[in-house]
Amino acid sequence: MALDHQHFMDIALELSREAWAQGNRPLGSLIVDGNGNILARGGNRVYSDSDPTAHGEMVVIREVCHAQQRVELSDCTLYTAMEPCPMCCWAILEAKVGCLVIGGRHAGIGRKDVGRYSVETLLDLTGRELDFVTGVRTKECEELRLKWIAERAARGLGPR
């Protein structure tokens, strides 16, 4: 069964808005099985949980692995509104997620604090492979993150 990437990225965007409303970074993620069933949905909880590892991707990976008592998600697709950071990308690789679908990209929002990092550079550096899809709702995902950055700047806060 082919998954509807547009539909699931719409959900990731809504989860991103919810995370922002809760005082966190606007990042939503979800994990879907091969039949299109959502196994977990969540958003960034770094600030609300006071946990620097509570990125949206980590939240949903932990939830599915714990609920299903497994550490391999090769039959799953992970949707995320922004390109995962190196920590999250490594967790995705370690969980053997079958497919990663990305909305916005770090380069697309001019993010400088990650250097030359991208999913592709991490894969090249480590020799690992990952089936991933880009370009799904990219504009909307990047615009949401840029609005969040602008709102924080207006309050005198940094982009992180």
Side-chain angles (χ1 to χ4, degrees):
M1 170 183 179
L3 297 176
D4 182 350
H5 295 329
Q6 303 292 326
H7 168 71
F8 290 117
M9 192 58 71
D10 283 344
I11 296 170
L13 275 162
E14 183 55 37
L15 294 166
S16 297
R17 290 182 198 97
E18 290 174 14
W20 185 359
Q22 295 166 2
N24 296 294
R25 294 180 188 122
L27 185 286
S29 300
L30 59 149
I31 294 180
V32 178
D33 70 15
N35 294 318
N37 299 307
I38 298 174
L39 303 180
R41 61 177 78 208
N44 183 287
R45 298 193 319 225
V46 168
Y47 297 120
S48 58
D49 288 5
S50 299
D51 179 354
T53 69
H55 294 197
E57 301 92 344
M58 300 291 278
V59 167
V60 295
I61 289 170
R62 287 177 183 144
E63 185 177 324
V64 172
C65 289
H66 180 74
Q68 297 190 358
Q69 294 296 291
R70 62 182 179 140
V71 296
E72 185 178 311
L73 304 175
S74 59
D75 59 335
C76 297
T77 298
L78 191 152
Y79 290 85
T80 189
M82 282 297 300
E83 180 173 17
C85 74
M87 173 185 70
C88 293
C89 192
W90 192 255
I92 289 164
L93 291 169
E94 286 298 298
K96 297 177 178 58
V97 169
C99 182
L100 170 66
V101 181
I102 301 169
R105 303 294 300 257
H106 297 302
I109 62 169
R111 190 168 173 191
K112 305 287 188 223
D113 63 317
V114 292
R116 293 183 307 274
Y117 166 78
S118 68
V119 170
E120 294 90 339
T121 59
L122 184 65
L123 295 174
D124 183 57
L125 175 71
T126 61
R128 303 282 291 265
E129 293 184 11
L130 175 63
D131 181 21
F132 68 102
V133 176
T134 61
V136 180
R137 295 276 199 264
T138 299
K139 182 179 178 187
E140 298 96 325
C141 292
E142 290 176 358
E143 284 177 352
L144 181 63
R145 181 59 73 98
L146 290 170
K147 285 179 188 174
W148 177 77
I149 291 169
E151 188 267 342
R152 287 181 57 85
R155 294 186 338 187
L157 301 171
R160 304 225 352 118

